[in-house]
Amino acid sequence: MKTQNFFLFLFFLIITLITPNFILSLNPEKEPKKSSEAIEENDEFDDPSLLKEEQDEDSQKTKKSEKTKSNTESKKKSKESEKTNDNDDIYPSLEQLKKDEIEEMSKYKFFFLKYFYEICMISLLVIYIINAIMGVKINRKLAESWLEKNKKFFEDNYAHLGGEKEYNPNQITLIKDSYNDYRFFASGRVYLSWLLVDINLKRRQDLISILSEIFLFNERDKIMYEVSLTPTEDIPCIFAICKKKDIKANKKNYRELEEFTEVSNPYFMDKNYVMLTEDEDTTNKIFNNKELMNQYKNIEKFIDLIFFTDRRTAKDKHGLVISFELKGSYTEADFYDMNIFAHTLIDVLGSTSVKGAYKKEASARRKEYEAKISRELAEKNKEEVKNAKEEKKNQESNKPMTREQLRKKEEKERKNEIKERRKKMFKVVKA
């Protein structure tokens, strides 16, 4: 990333230095005005033939004088050139060197000014290509370094790795979705049915995104673990660990946090982080594990989100999402620490047990939540049906109608108006 920013800075610096100097140094030479000799006519001579003869004589005289002058000048120049050649054989004069330098500089200046826009476009294209090649290489190296650091761990702990049906341990590779997005799939381990690692990196291959990152917002590399858990007992609990500034965004993305959780500040957390939990007893039980807490301290600065829920699909009921944000200086050892923390949390959640009294309370809350969702769905369906009927009516009203159809429509509307008036009158009489 530093090299890319350096190339961009260098390009803009060259443009800013070149353009004003060239424009200021441009002094177009004024072309000498051509002198026109006026021919004076003599009013004394009335005969045109005599005038022509005199003009011819004058022209001959002037030609002779010019020839003599040119001969004398050529002789002088030849003598001077012989002298200068004798001196130039020894060393060139300073004035001549200055003149040569000025002439060369003026050639370059005029060339750059003439093709300035073309040079800018070509240089931008070259920078774009260099940036794309370097960005793809950097992203690929980061993803491969994560895999190399954690490859042995996955081989020892999982039965199947990668997206291929036939497992080959010698050909374990990442699934490439794009130049900045890589994935890794694993299955066949205790307490989980499958695990998906999404390595979402910066768009380093895109010059526009890099410029926007410099001037507008800062995009960061992320590593996200998404797990389908199969614990020994049902854990009716929802909790999340995130930054204070991201509470609203996470509640919007995960509705369970809005409905079930409340804010709490445990002792082991940094001031910038917060925990959203349904039950503090269960979360304290999970995070009181010494091994887990030791690993948490190593990777706390990289945590973007830790989210656990039991409100997934019937097949994958318990879900865990752990998102790490790569900021500041990080190494391959940090990749390994993140992976170990994720798997220790999986093991702790898989082996936790919850009290029976709390399970009853949690199930009651979930029934209320399901009833609320069903009501919302019913209202949404009613609105959709209503909108569909209105659309049909509008389509029918826009269709061309005959005179009889228009008459029938008007009669129907008049009868409906009379019925509504009668209903209002009966209401008034009853009151």
Side-chain angles (χ1 to χ4, degrees), residues 8-47:
L8 288 168
F9 177 73
L10 197 141
F11 170 69
F12 288 117
L13 194 139
I14 289 163
I15 287 169
T16 51
L17 287 171
I18 286 168
T19 50
N21 291 326
F22 285 166
I23 290 158
L24 290 167
S25 63
L26 182 62
N27 292 318
E29 293 177 357
K30 292 180 181 179
E31 293 181 358
K33 292 180 180 179
K34 293 179 181 181
S35 61
S36 60
E37 293 180 356
I39 300 166
E40 295 178 353
E41 293 182 355
N42 295 320
D43 294 330
E44 295 176 11
F45 299 99
D46 295 324
D47 193 0

Side-chain angles (χ1 to χ4, degrees), residues 118-135:
E118 287 84 354
I119 289 160
C120 289
M121 290 298 292
I122 291 160
S123 57
L124 269 171
L125 197 140
V126 169
I127 287 164
Y128 184 83
I129 291 162
I130 291 163
N131 180 52
I133 292 160
M134 289 177 71

Side-chain angles (χ1 to χ4, degrees), residues 63-74:
K63 283 179 182 179
K64 285 178 181 178
S65 63
E66 284 175 359
K67 281 181 182 180
T68 51
K69 283 179 182 178
S70 62
N71 290 323
T72 53
E73 285 176 359
S74 62

Side-chain angles (χ1 to χ4, degrees), residues 247-262:
I247 290 169
K248 286 183 180 179
N250 289 320
K251 281 183 176 180
K252 197 178 278 186
N253 293 329
Y254 303 103
R255 192 179 171 182
E256 297 97 322
L257 295 174
E258 183 68 37
E259 296 291 334
F260 292 97
T261 62
E262 292 180 357

Side-chain angles (χ1 to χ4, degrees), residues 194 226-228 254 256 307 309-321:
W194 54 264
E226 192 173 353
V227 188
S228 174
Y254 303 103
E256 297 97 322
F307 173 65
T309 183
D310 66 324
R311 298 288 307 159
R312 288 289 174 90
T313 58
K315 190 177 180 182
D316 302 320
K317 190 177 180 182
H318 296 84
L320 178 67
V321 176

